[in-house]
Amino acid sequence: KRITKELQKQAYAMYLNHALDAKNKVGIRTRLHQVAGGFFPSKYELDERGFEVENANVKAVPIGKVEKLERLASRLEDDGNFPVIVVTAFVAEAQYLYEQLRKTYRCGLIIGAVNKQERQRTEADFLAGNLDVLIATEQTIAKGYNFQVAHAMHFYSSTYSAEDRSQIEDRIHRIGQKDTCVYVDYLTEGSVDFPILETARGNLKYQDYMTSDNPEDFFKYIGRAE
């Protein structure tokens, strides 16, 4: 909550020895989205004098105990409906979830940085029942995949594209699916997760907010920090 308020008020925030900033409305929205997932997108690290040293790449730093991950892990354990697909909006989230969930489950990872051959091997393993959990970024598997061996899809985070959302839900809602498809979204209370999900669901009011050039439209739906 503290990081969110700092971002909303001054487009800058600090966490431990890390710092970030945002240059515009889109940047603020993206940072708020990453923070809602439990990660601090560090652009700078503070040296021993307290001066900012820019990172070569944005570094995703877990913010304490990542509650979204705990909720996801608890749901997977309680349901036991494997295989399942876990979808994220950000690569850093997918990589982190993969490293954590593979401690308990047989996991596969499909992100943009994974080459075509490795993606094909992961897809084949998933379809053959050799994996419990497939973790992927939404835009990477939104088209061209048939995963009807699973009937549950967990959205750790979601992009705001209604087209991507519809396409990726169809990855398990295919000919040959024998069960009712279940889609579970994980939302951080009081965060930008809610308007982003409404936009992905095709709510025109929220789509207008996402594309407006007026910063006040943006803050209207995420709430301006007091």
Side-chain angles (χ1 to χ4, degrees):
K1 289 181 180 179
R2 191 263 301 168
I3 294 170
T4 295
K5 287 182 178 180
E6 289 182 7
L7 279 170
Q8 290 175 243
K9 291 178 71 174
Q10 55 196 24
Y12 182 90
M14 294 182 60
Y15 176 67
L16 300 179
N17 65 326
H18 303 279
L20 66 86
D21 60 14
K23 304 299 184 183
N24 50 41
K25 181 186 76 171
V26 174
I28 295 174
R29 182 185 66 210
T30 300
R31 300 302 179 219
L32 290 173
H33 197 184
Q34 291 167 312
V35 167
F39 299 93
F40 187 87
S42 173
K43 293 181 64 179
Y44 311 95
E45 294 195 42
L46 306 185
D47 62 20
E48 62 277 3
R49 298 171 298 171
F51 294 134
E52 294 177 350
V53 179
E54 188 169 1
N55 296 326
N57 298 295
V58 173
K59 180 180 179 182
V61 180
I63 302 173
K65 182 176 64 174
V66 182
E67 187 173 354
K68 261 194 182 185
L69 173 58
E70 293 196 348
R71 295 294 182 94
L72 170 63
S74 177
R75 179 69 182 250
L76 293 179
E77 181 180 359
D78 290 344
D79 288 355
N81 293 324
F82 300 107
V84 301
I85 298 174
V86 176
V87 180
T88 72
F90 299 103
V91 170
E93 292 176 340
Q95 292 172 321
Y96 185 77
L97 295 183
Y98 175 72
E99 292 301 326
Q100 297 303 311
L101 293 176
R102 68 186 298 196
K103 298 174 183 177
T104 305
Y105 304 106
R106 299 174 299 168
C107 293
L109 176 68
I110 296 180
I111 57 177
V114 175
N115 63 50
K116 182 178 180 180
Q117 291 73 23
E118 185 61 29
R119 292 187 198 187
Q120 290 174 339
R121 283 194 293 269
T122 300
E123 179 184 11
D125 281 342
F126 188 74
L127 296 176
N130 298 325
L131 297 176
D132 302 312
V133 182
L134 173 63
I135 301 156
T137 49
E138 184 169 314
Q139 291 184 325
T140 305
I141 64 167
K143 298 178 181 178
Y145 289 92
N146 295 317
F147 290 129
Q148 60 267 51
V149 294
H151 70 272
M153 184 174 283
H154 298 258
F155 288 86
Y156 185 86
S157 57
S158 177
T159 70
Y160 53 88
S161 168
E163 179 182 358
D164 283 350
R165 178 71 183 217
S166 175
Q167 288 284 348
I168 199 166
E169 287 186 359
D170 282 346
R171 294 314 97 207
I172 62 174
H173 192 258
R174 314 292 293 175
I175 294 175
Q177 178 60 262
K178 300 177 181 179
D179 298 297
T180 300
C181 292
V182 177
Y183 304 97
V184 183
D185 284 276
Y186 297 81
L187 309 174
T188 296
E189 184 177 358
S191 78
V192 73
D193 281 348
F194 290 86
I196 287 177
L197 179 59
E198 286 299 312
T199 303
R201 287 174 170 168
N203 188 319
L204 294 179
K205 177 178 68 174
Y206 286 93
Q207 287 180 353
D208 289 342
Y209 128 77
M210 295 298 286
T211 58
S212 172
D213 291 329
N214 185 349
E216 291 305 316
D217 291 341
F218 170 65
F219 286 111
K220 176 180 179 180
Y221 290 110
I222 64 171
R224 184 182 290 278
E226 298 298 333

